[in-house]
Amino acid sequence: MRSDSIKKGLQRAPHRSLLRACGVTDEEMNKPFIGISNSFTDIVPGHIHLNEVSNAVKLGISEAGGVPFEFNTMAICDGIAMNHEGMHYSLGSRELIADTVESMAQAHQLDGLVCIPSCDKVVPGMLMAAARLDIPSIFVTGGPMKPGKFKGKSVDLIDVYEGVGAVSSGKMTIEEIEELERCACPGAGSCAGLFTANTMACVTEALGMSLPYCATAHAVDAKKMRIARESGSKILELVEKNITPSIIMTQEAFENAIAVDLALGGSTNTTLHIPAIASELEEKGVNINLDSFEKLSKNVPHISKLSPSGEYTMMDLDRAGGLPAVLKVIEGKINTDVITCTGKSLGENFKDAKVLNEDVIRPLHNPIHKEGGLAILKGNLAPRGSVVKTGAVDEDMMTHSGPARVFNSEEECVSAIFNKEVKEGDVVIIRYEGPKGGPGMREMLNPTSAISGMEIRSVALITDGRFSGGTRGPCIGHVSPEAMAGGPIAALKDGDIIKIDMINRKLEVELEEEEIKKRLENISMPVKEVKGWLSRYRKLASSADKGAILR
């Protein structure tokens, strides 16, 4: 066992003395040491219940003959961090989380790892750490929040964000939004729609790193506690058989995860996180990039219309059969032979699954869209790619041409929207918000929600930053190269005609290459003073098409 290096032999008497101070018994010195990486915190709804999940995991570990040791990682709530200085810290926290888990597992030579994440950057951060460590690991994602109820309809956080725009345009009263605010987020869990946190939970299950039905088991459902306890027990089996993340997270497993993401029409942020996780396994032959998404999108249909793309919530998906039912539908599009954390193949995991509601999980012969819910657009405005959630775009906006309205920050754009300076037909450009330019590649939920809430129909948004998983509409993010790296988006001026063609995967500006080059030679980039680790992040962050990893 790895942990023998801290508990066996004469030279380890001091180490054992410290372990005894933690209550470790003589008998436990001979058992596997299992780390529990818990992202519990009191200020993030997706994490406020994770101590209870951890207690169930500990029970499972102890029952199976292991010794549980819990430690904590950080967690940022993107909803609370949105549209102010705090959002600069969100994406970069993924790397800090990965480093924290790696540090704790290596410093204490843990034999196995149970990760308990919930929100947007915590899930991929812990997956990156598991891949990097390559010790037996299993995940218990915290589970979705129940949807709220407002005037008889299911609602979630995005309804509140869009409500702000609705109030500004006179379509909702202050009294109504106060009522909505109080009921939209009824308790523990990651926000109720298929936003980034829940998309990443689905990706984790599809990768084979969490037990079947874990992704959709809700935070307040006893099913989550049963899965947690079973996961605690299962990690001992993985340790005994030495089934490590590199055995589970193969090229084929990543392609399965992307297929599920496309079938569900998940968050565009997966095009950052999945390549970032895969980058930790490059030496094992894993190679995932934006082209991986585009290739699979042509073959995997969009079969579930969940919020923000539609009216259904994660609770509806759970009741319709969860991820195993989704996998059952797309069985012919994925590799079912890959090994998972159950010790069985993916196909064995879902062989008995059934679709219980074909309105929520549609059959292949009746998809919502014939292609996947994400698309990669390229062209002279995004030579290395950009990302759009096509599953949340109305048919009449799949192609669009209009004049650019250029802003050098999210704040400038939001001010213009609420001042009613953005008109129908405009193409809003928000630049200098990429990994280096932000720094931190902020999410643009406020401008997208404001436009949706104000019911401005024919406006597209393009940014070298990113969009919340709760975004809907013609919102194109991750434009690469970013403005701060001298990408063509830095050359744009108000009035330039932008052409969007999602059907043919094109994103272009009606300018000659020579004109773009000339403008780029004369641009004056904004100066953004940063301090703390953000200055380090700005220097080391790669571009969005590389997953915004640190190199």
Side-chain angles (χ1 to χ4, degrees):
M1 290 188 290
R2 256 172 51 108
S3 60
D4 286 350
S5 60
I6 64 168
K7 64 187 183 186
K8 296 286 183 172
L10 174 62
Q11 298 299 323
R12 297 298 180 254
H15 304 64
R16 289 193 297 274
S17 183
L18 290 167
L19 290 167
R20 292 184 194 284
C22 298
V24 178
T25 66
D26 288 345
E27 181 185 5
E28 288 174 331
M29 291 290 184
N30 296 310
K31 295 180 178 181
F33 281 9
I34 307 298
I36 300 174
S37 177
N38 187 359
S39 52
F40 164 80
T41 174
D42 279 331
I43 198 170
V44 183
H47 299 247
I48 57 176
H49 65 301
L50 294 187
N51 277 352
E52 297 172 29
V53 175
S54 179
N55 287 337
V57 169
K58 288 177 184 176
L59 185 58
I61 292 171
S62 297
E63 288 173 337
V67 185
F69 293 97
E70 183 178 4
F71 61 90
N72 284 91
T73 63
M74 63 180 291
I76 287 176
C77 177
D78 279 16
I80 296 174
M82 197 70 67
N83 197 231
H84 58 82
E85 183 182 1
M87 182 47 72
H88 290 294
Y89 291 83
S90 175
L91 182 58
S93 73
R94 183 187 70 185
E95 320 304 311
L96 298 178
I97 290 160
D99 292 349
T100 298
V101 176
E102 176 195 4
S103 299
M104 290 296 290
Q106 291 288 58
H108 303 104
Q109 291 293 286
L110 300 171
D111 297 304
L113 196 60
V114 180
C115 293
I116 309 177
S118 190
C119 286
D120 300 25
K121 312 308 169 300
V122 191
V123 179
M126 288 192 184
L127 282 167
M128 289 168 71
R132 190 182 301 171
L133 288 162
D134 205 25
I135 62 173
S137 303
I138 194 168
F139 278 62
V140 185
T141 48
M145 182 187 293
K146 291 174 63 178
K149 285 291 181 182
F150 179 70
K151 296 184 177 180
K153 294 181 64 177
S154 292
V155 291
D156 53 45
L157 177 68
I158 303 307
D159 292 283
V160 187
Y161 269 101
E162 293 186 358
V164 175
V167 171
S168 299
S169 62
K171 300 180 188 302
M172 179 181 277
T173 67
I174 288 290
E175 291 75 21
E176 285 175 319
I177 198 171
E178 285 179 352
E179 181 185 349
L180 175 61
E181 168 194 332
R182 293 178 188 280
C183 70
C185 299
S190 45
C191 298
L194 188 68
F195 314 143
T196 305
N198 289 325
T199 303
M200 285 308 303
C202 293
V203 164
T204 304
E205 186 176 326
L207 270 173
M209 290 298 291
S210 63
L211 294 182
Y213 302 98
C214 184
T216 60
H218 277 53
V220 296
D221 191 336
K223 179 165 61 174
K224 178 63 68 180
M225 297 305 161
R226 293 195 296 271
I227 289 172
R229 187 169 174 178
E230 186 180 350
S231 299
S233 176
K234 183 62 67 173
I235 188 62
L236 274 298
E237 180 183 327
L238 297 178
V239 169
E240 181 183 353
K241 295 179 179 178
N242 197 31
I243 298 176
T244 65
S246 67
I247 294 172
I248 297 171
M249 291 196 285
T250 60
Q251 179 74 20
E252 294 78 11
F254 276 102
E255 290 173 358
N256 288 345
I258 293 172
V260 165
D261 183 18
L262 294 167
L264 293 174
S267 167
T268 53
N269 283 310
T270 57
T271 63
L272 290 172
H273 299 322
I274 293 177
I277 300 160
S279 73
E280 301 288 347
L281 294 162
E282 286 177 353
E283 293 181 358
K284 301 290 185 178
V286 176
N287 180 26
I288 296 294
N289 52 41
L290 289 184
D291 291 336
S292 306
F293 287 81
E294 183 56 28
K295 178 182 176 182
L296 288 164
S297 182
K298 299 290 187 182
N299 187 47
V300 179
H302 178 206
I303 61 171
S304 189
K305 205 165 180 65
L306 305 171
S307 174
S309 304
E311 62 184 21
Y312 297 116
T313 67
M314 290 299 291
M315 182 163 285
D316 295 311
L317 181 61
D318 189 49
R319 290 170 175 169
L323 252 291
V326 174
L327 290 164
K328 188 82 168 179
V329 171
I330 63 170
E331 183 173 1
K333 308 286 187 181
I334 59 177
N335 186 313
T336 59
D337 295 328
V338 292
I339 194 72
T340 70
C341 67
T342 64
K344 301 176 182 177
S345 72
L346 184 67
E348 289 177 288
N349 287 352
F350 69 73
K351 67 178 181 178
D352 297 324
K354 294 180 181 179
V355 176
L356 303 177
N357 186 335
E358 288 195 350
D359 290 330
V360 178
I361 304 173
R362 292 199 192 181
L364 286 184
H365 65 79
N366 183 33
I368 295 155
H369 300 106
K370 292 181 180 179
E371 296 183 352
L374 297 176
I376 308 302
L377 311 185
K378 293 184 179 181
N380 68 353
L381 188 50
R384 296 213 304 265
S386 61
V387 186
V388 62
K389 186 192 291 188
T390 50
V393 179
D394 292 337
E395 288 295 327
D396 61 352
M397 286 298 290
M398 293 293 282
T399 59
H400 180 75
S401 179
R405 291 280 285 112
V406 183
F407 303 96
N408 285 343
S409 71
E410 179 189 10
E411 287 81 3
E412 289 180 22
C413 176
V414 170
S415 176
I417 292 169
F418 283 119
N419 286 334
K420 298 181 173 58
E421 297 170 19
V422 172
K423 308 299 182 184
E424 294 282 357
D426 285 348
V427 178
V428 174
I429 307 292
I430 310 174
R431 63 190 179 189
Y432 297 106
E433 291 287 6
K436 293 181 182 295
M441 203 178 181
R442 291 192 292 176
E443 287 185 346
M444 306 290 144
L445 181 56
N446 263 34
T448 61
S449 297
I451 285 173
S452 294
M454 295 168 76
E455 297 185 2
I456 306 172
R457 298 296 183 188
S458 60
V459 169
L461 287 92
I462 297 172
T463 182
D464 55 4
R466 58 198 179 93
F467 291 113
S468 163
T471 295
R472 59 189 174 96
C475 302
I476 301 166
H478 307 199
V479 170
S480 297
E482 63 176 289
M484 191 61 79
I489 193 172
L492 297 182
K493 296 180 180 179
D494 282 348
D496 288 339
I497 300 302
I498 309 297
K499 300 180 73 173
I500 301 165
D501 184 349
M502 299 182 201
I503 297 169
N504 294 302
R505 308 302 202 246
K506 293 290 186 181
L507 179 62
E508 298 188 322
V509 55
E510 286 189 351
L511 292 174
E512 297 293 332
E513 290 300 316
E514 201 58 39
E515 174 65 15
I516 294 174
K517 182 179 178 181
K518 180 181 175 182
R519 289 188 187 183
L520 289 175
E521 289 172 352
N522 294 287
I523 58 172
S524 178
M525 294 185 181
V527 177
K528 296 185 179 181
E529 297 295 333
V530 295
K531 56 185 179 181
W533 64 261
L534 279 179
S535 60
R536 186 167 69 246
Y537 183 87
R538 183 164 62 183
K539 293 176 183 176
L540 300 177
S542 70
S543 61
D545 63 301
K546 302 293 185 184
I549 56 177
L550 300 188
R551 285 292 184 268

